[in-house]
Amino acid sequence: MHRFFISPELISGDQVFFPTDLAHQIVRVLRLRLGDRVLVLDNSGLAREVELHTFGQREAQGTIRGVYPAAGEPRTQVDLYLALMKGKKVELVLQKGTELGVARFVPMVTRRSVVSSLRDLNDVRLDRWEAIIREAAEQSGRGILPAVSEPVMLESALGDARDGDHEIILAWEEADDLTLKEALAGRPEKVALFVGPEGGFDETEARLAAAYGASIVTLGPRILRAETAAVAVVVATLYELGEWE
Ligand code: SAM
């Protein structure tokens, strides 16, 4: 069943109103018919099964036939703090991270990231990022739409993770002993994963993260590209915490 994330104000009583863009997708692209059912999610953690009954010029409408908890969410909240990378790598990580179950993305400016200060940030592509996340969440069957924030400096990202009571884990290619498995041994319910840019984290950044309580882990002897490391550390964390059973 096709699923769509919509804003809660489009749900009134047992009626759901699909705005123009969604109506176009339903009628013209997916060629659904009156009487067909779709799944509607409003980021509340609930899923609503909706029977389509009206196709207007500019909108579509349906009646809610069932409401149940939205499936598709990991028990563990995994937030991914990723350094800004070149080209479309951030978009790739947003898409794959959404499919995998990331709850929140926090892009970061670090010493060696593609921009080294918030001032250099001209066009934050938040709208585009949100569109990529929405499409990946609908395609993969997520129950909640992951959030993505404006880019922040590493130190405020660490403060944000600490204030949110996360188990903070920073992947550092120069770490030599602590493994991801060991860092997850406490079976945390909330995990903040930090991954650096193409140029990596420098030693002062790793030390700063440790001062914020982060576990500095190795991802093994091979040096992964930044976008590979971001996806791989999400996969390994969810697998280790039993989210693939
Ligand atoms: N300094 C690295 C080098 O020598 O090529 C470049 C950094 S790597 C391309 C990008 C990011 O991926 C790193 O900042 C780190 O967060 C993560 N990463 C990649 N391989 C890793 C490894 N073996 N252990 C821990 N982190 C790794």
Side-chain angles (χ1 to χ4, degrees):
M1 193 182 306
H2 294 288
R3 46 200 306 144
F4 304 97
F5 282 94
I6 65 168
S7 42
E9 60 263 17
L10 294 171
I11 300 172
S12 158
D14 69 349
Q15 294 303 298
V16 176
F17 299 86
F18 298 91
T20 312
D21 59 336
L22 269 187
H24 173 78
Q25 193 180 351
I26 288 171
V27 179
R28 299 270 175 266
V29 177
L30 300 172
R31 296 201 174 285
L32 296 182
R33 288 193 296 275
L34 294 179
D36 284 352
R37 294 194 175 194
V38 296
L39 208 58
V40 163
L41 300 131
D42 64 350
N43 233 10
S44 65
L46 290 178
R48 293 174 175 83
E49 193 169 320
V50 177
E51 183 179 314
L52 301 168
H53 63 67
T54 305
F55 290 160
Q57 278 304 320
R58 306 184 59 72
E59 67 170 18
Q61 199 173 327
T63 301
I64 295 170
R65 295 293 184 211
V67 186
Y68 36 82
E73 290 307 301
R75 292 179 305 279
T76 312
Q77 177 182 330
V78 175
D79 292 352
L80 180 61
Y81 292 74
L82 65 156
L84 287 172
M85 306 166 200
K86 294 188 184 95
K88 298 219 179 277
K89 295 176 191 171
V90 169
E91 297 181 4
L92 174 84
V93 172
L94 294 177
Q95 185 187 58
K96 299 313 164 200
T98 297
E99 292 169 46
L100 287 164
V102 167
R104 195 165 69 107
F105 296 96
V106 181
M108 296 185 297
V109 172
T110 66
R111 285 180 177 210
R112 299 174 186 162
S113 59
V114 67
V115 284
S116 49
S117 98
L118 289 175
R119 277 191 315 281
D120 303 348
L121 264 181
N122 34 35
D123 61 333
V124 175
R125 303 166 286 288
L126 217 45
D127 286 354
R128 176 149 174 70
W129 290 349
E130 285 167 346
I132 288 168
I133 288 170
R134 176 185 297 270
E135 192 275 331
E138 289 174 350
Q139 172 272 322
S140 60
R142 293 291 299 272
I144 295 281
L145 209 48
V148 59
S149 68
E150 300 260 356
V152 294
M153 300 305 289
L154 172 65
E155 180 142 25
S156 58
L158 287 164
D160 174 78
R162 184 184 55 187
D163 296 349
D165 285 337
H166 289 72
E167 180 70 39
I168 306 175
I169 296 173
L170 181 135
W172 191 34
E173 59 282 13
E174 293 173 40
D176 44 20
D177 49 3
L178 189 65
T179 65
L180 180 62
K181 191 181 187 73
E182 288 159 345
L184 292 168
R187 322 304 289 168
E189 287 176 5
K190 292 167 78 175
V191 181
L193 298 172
F194 282 70
V195 176
E198 293 86 346
F201 288 119
D202 72 16
E203 182 149 4
T204 53
E205 290 175 318
R207 274 218 227 100
L208 177 71
Y212 273 85
S215 301
I216 311 300
V217 303
T218 176
L219 298 183
R222 289 162 295 286
I223 297 294
L224 309 177
R225 286 178 182 273
E227 65 275 26
T228 310
V231 174
V233 73
V234 169
V235 168
T237 296
L238 288 170
Y239 181 79
E240 180 60 25
L241 294 177
E243 295 289 355
W244 283 31
E245 282 142 30

